[in-house]
Amino acid sequence: MTEKIKLCDLSKCYGCRACQVACKQWNQLPAKQTYNSGSYQNPPDLQPNNWVVIKYQEISDGNGGVKWLFRKDACMHCTDAACVKVCPSGALYYTKQGTVGIDNGKCIGCKECVAVCPFGVPKYDSKADKVSKCDMCLSRIENDMEPACVKACPTGALQFGDKAEMLKAAYKRVEVLGGDATVYGDKFVGGTHMVYILPEKVSVYDGLPEYPRVPLNVIAWKDWLKPLSLLAVGGAIAGSFLHYITHGPKTPDEDGNQVNAKGGE
Amino acid sequence: MRKGMIKATDAFERIIHWGLAISCIVLIISGLGMMYHSFSFLSIPVGGLKNLKYVHNFTGLIFIVALLFSILMWWKEAGIFKFPEDVEWIKAAGGYLWHVDNVPEVGKYNPGQKIFFLAVALFGVVMAVSGLIMWFPLSLPVVWVRTMYFLHALGFFVITPFFFVHLYLGTIGSPGSASAMFSGWVTRAWAKKQHPKWLKEMEESGKLEVYGE
Ligand code: HEM
Ligand code: SF4
Ligand code: SF4
């Protein structure tokens, strides 16, 4: 199976939210009462029942006016995913397609993934005591269909295809766009399976980390302390046994009244 | 109880000790099941990982209570190093590692036991604080919570090997010790070998409780 990615060309996104709706529909995510948060953006962030949200941001256009920036926020499907690294139940896993799947039945609601994802993606549903997130429409891509969001996008901002091909197209597009345009996603966390074409600098986008990575304390916890702990426990048990059969236990002297008792023998 | 046995611990001390020890071993086993996928079979007896997490979290509360009492009860005897005798004892490794003709005499707890006590007290508090935050991880910024997971794993790395060494030295590694934590009474020969200075001090001050006297 060749590795596939979703390419998200934000220069073509005009904020229609067709992807957001298509995602809810395909994944049968229930609607919830919304409220006005002072922005056209709705809901304010990813939610357990909203795996995709179009972020609406107003920035200065440099001529005294404002312009819209739209960003489709969803799971980036990291190749080196912090969430998979920490998930104790195996609910989060790498799929054959290279994306990060989630097996809801296995999730124990520990929220470890919530704390470690560099993009703040997994969201906890306190009613179900489970976490949920975009699974890149695994049931669709397993059957050679594109994800629902890609299918719905009317402007061609979303594409799904072979990684090498998509990246080539991305770099070509960035050249055409010129200016601050960049490709975002292929250079960190082992390469993401959702890759952006950003018309503006990374730092302009709210909530988009410039240097995302698996947090260092997570690496120290999972990659270092895990093997070291087993080694240390094994060492303590083996050491005790060796002590017992070589130096021997510290036995009280038969004659308890002897003052200058000998050390352990 | 045989005549001439010496009282080493009172009932309260023993109850707290076992509260701490049993909760600690349950936490180690349940923690192991959550930390390593290869140990997830440890969750089978309780019917799944989610229940194992509950076992771990609620046992954590028992651990916290036992830890508080342990610290209050033992810090004076086991939490403070005495000079110069404790340094001398460490230089001789208490006679545990090589042959020593005269092991320096130390008080009720030797420096090895003090190091164990201090490690458990310090990292026990670390486990309690980080564990409580990990139980409710959405209550703090993620940067803090990530660090709590790291600290919890660090505490595991420190406490677990110590636990096994303690188990060894409290049982077959030092015959006669275990009864201090079961019946509370030890033999005079054991006290003489393990804690000669304590024995002398207790005798001099007339506080020593000897069975049948
Ligand atoms: C001797 C004391 C303790 C030991 C040895 C211990 C050990 C562990 C271990 C090995 C893990 C798995 C970490 C991982 O996944 O890498 C863990 C997780 C955890 N521990 Fe402890 N722990 C102790 C005390 C506590 C206490 C006092 C609490 C709080 C009540 C606590 C709460 C937790 C929580 C909430 C988790 C996260 C598990 C989850 O929700 O997935 N622990 N512990
Ligand atoms: S973006 Fe977050 S939730 Fe998605 S794969 Fe990466 S670490 Fe996991
Ligand atoms: S909340 Fe669920 S998906 Fe997230 S780490 Fe825990 S078990 Fe895994």
Side-chain angles (χ1 to χ4, degrees):
Chain A
M1 167 107 24
T2 56
E3 212 178 335
K4 294 203 167 160
I5 65 171
K6 177 164 74 189
L7 190 59
C8 181
D9 184 350
L10 295 185
S11 70
K12 289 184 183 165
C13 173
Y14 66 155
C16 73
R17 290 192 277 225
C19 54
Q20 195 174 316
V21 174
C23 174
K24 290 196 76 132
Q25 201 167 33
W26 176 260
N27 294 299
Q28 301 185 324
L29 299 172
K32 248 192 208 160
Q33 180 72 45
T34 58
Y35 59 93
N36 188 337
S37 59
S39 153
Y40 284 104
Q41 185 182 316
N42 185 36
D45 198 1
L46 293 172
Q47 290 180 168
N49 65 330
N50 261 85
W51 302 344
V52 168
V53 71
I54 299 293
K55 297 257 175 161
Y56 283 53
Q57 193 184 342
E58 287 161 70
I59 61 163
S60 156
D61 67 357
N63 298 317
V66 289
K67 66 176 179 183
W68 282 110
L69 275 188
F70 302 117
R71 179 167 71 87
K72 174 189 193 280
D73 195 10
C75 175
M76 299 292 285
H77 293 275
C78 313
T79 299
D80 185 10
C83 63
V84 176
K85 200 188 265 301
V86 302
C87 179
S89 68
L92 290 159
Y93 65 101
Y94 297 116
T95 65
K96 277 195 212 105
Q97 287 73 13
T99 55
V100 173
I102 176 161
D103 179 344
N104 210 250
K106 281 190 182 166
C107 175
I108 59 167
C110 70
K111 313 174 209 64
E112 295 189 15
C113 53
V114 177
V116 303
C117 169
F119 302 97
V121 167
K123 294 292 173 203
Y124 174 67
D125 177 357
S126 52
K127 254 204 204 120
D129 193 20
K130 295 204 187 270
V131 149
S132 63
K133 72 164 194 75
C134 154
D135 70 348
M136 195 77 103
C137 287
L138 188 61
S139 59
R140 293 175 61 95
I141 61 176
E142 269 176 343
N143 292 296
D144 286 326
M145 286 190 271
E146 53 193 7
C149 55
V150 177
K151 180 100 184 152
C153 179
T155 65
L158 295 176
Q159 281 174 276
F160 186 71
D162 289 350
K163 184 175 175 179
E165 225 171 87
M166 288 287 121
L167 283 181
K168 216 163 100 196
Y171 278 96
K172 230 189 228 150
R173 175 71 181 154
V174 160
E175 241 170 65
V176 173
L177 288 170
D180 288 331
T182 49
V183 176
Y184 180 93
D186 57 332
K187 298 253 163 35
F188 40 74
V189 291
T192 59
H193 290 78
M194 170 159 87
V195 169
Y196 288 123
I197 294 167
L198 303 176
E200 308 285 337
K201 276 201 212 99
V202 179
S203 53
V204 175
Y205 292 88
D206 277 345
L208 196 62
E210 247 184 296
Y211 305 104
R213 52 168 303 162
V214 178
L216 195 64
N217 35 21
V218 172
I219 291 175
W221 159 29
K222 286 290 171 181
D223 292 349
W224 305 344
L225 284 171
K226 255 175 83 170
L228 277 178
S229 298
L230 283 191
L231 219 64
V233 171
I237 295 171
S240 299
F241 182 70
L242 273 179
H243 182 264
Y244 191 72
I245 61 170
T246 56
H247 188 83
K250 191 165 183 173
T251 317
D253 304 301
E254 296 325 330
D255 178 3
N257 293 324
Q258 206 175 311
V259 178
N260 282 340
K262 275 199 204 163
E265 280 164 325
Chain B
M1 200 57 51
R2 269 186 294 129
K3 215 174 156 211
M5 295 283 271
I6 286 168
K7 189 167 185 186
T9 58
D10 61 32
F12 183 71
E13 264 181 300
R14 293 196 297 281
I15 290 169
I16 295 302
H17 170 266
W18 286 113
L20 190 69
I22 293 169
S23 63
C24 189
I25 190 75
V26 172
L27 287 166
I28 287 173
I29 293 170
S30 54
L32 213 57
M34 295 187 286
M35 188 158 171
Y36 301 89
H37 287 224
S38 45
F39 282 111
S40 61
F41 66 86
L42 292 170
S43 68
I44 295 171
V46 292
L49 215 56
K50 190 160 177 166
N51 291 346
L52 194 69
K53 175 179 151 66
Y54 285 132
V55 168
H56 187 85
N57 293 171
F58 286 100
T59 309
L61 298 180
I62 300 174
F63 175 83
I64 291 173
V65 174
L67 181 73
L68 283 178
F69 280 111
S70 304
I71 293 174
L72 289 173
M73 182 169 80
W74 281 327
W75 74 271
K76 265 193 208 142
E77 288 170 326
I80 302 165
F81 287 97
K82 291 249 161 52
F83 299 98
E85 68 234 39
D86 280 353
V87 178
E88 296 300 316
W89 189 96
I90 288 172
K91 279 189 197 150
Y96 278 102
L97 296 182
W98 55 86
H99 179 80
V100 178
D101 277 334
N102 292 307
V103 179
E105 298 194 355
V106 290
K108 180 155 184 192
Y109 292 100
N110 69 45
Q113 292 174 299
K114 287 180 185 173
I115 291 169
F116 177 60
F117 169 81
L118 288 170
V120 170
L122 180 72
F123 283 97
V125 171
V126 168
M127 292 317 254
V129 173
S130 59
L132 287 174
I133 293 173
M134 287 155 70
W135 199 347
F136 305 100
L138 304 185
S139 52
L140 281 179
V142 289
V143 189
W144 285 51
V145 178
R146 289 169 187 167
T147 307
M148 294 305 135
Y149 289 116
F150 166 74
L151 288 176
H152 211 71
L154 185 69
F156 180 75
F157 168 68
V158 173
I159 290 175
T160 318
F162 259 122
F163 182 92
F164 284 100
V165 172
H166 177 71
L167 188 67
Y168 167 65
L169 289 175
T171 55
I172 58 171
S174 170
S177 295
S179 69
M181 280 304 160
F182 285 109
S183 66
W185 298 88
V186 294
T187 64
R188 183 175 284 270
W190 178 86
K192 187 135 223 154
K193 181 81 177 186
Q194 291 291 343
H195 307 289
K197 190 162 171 243
W198 171 76
L199 184 64
K200 267 184 217 158
E201 282 169 3
M202 293 295 279
E203 272 181 326
E204 275 160 22
S205 64
K207 283 193 215 138
L208 195 69
E209 268 187 65
V210 182
Y211 196 79
E213 275 181 23

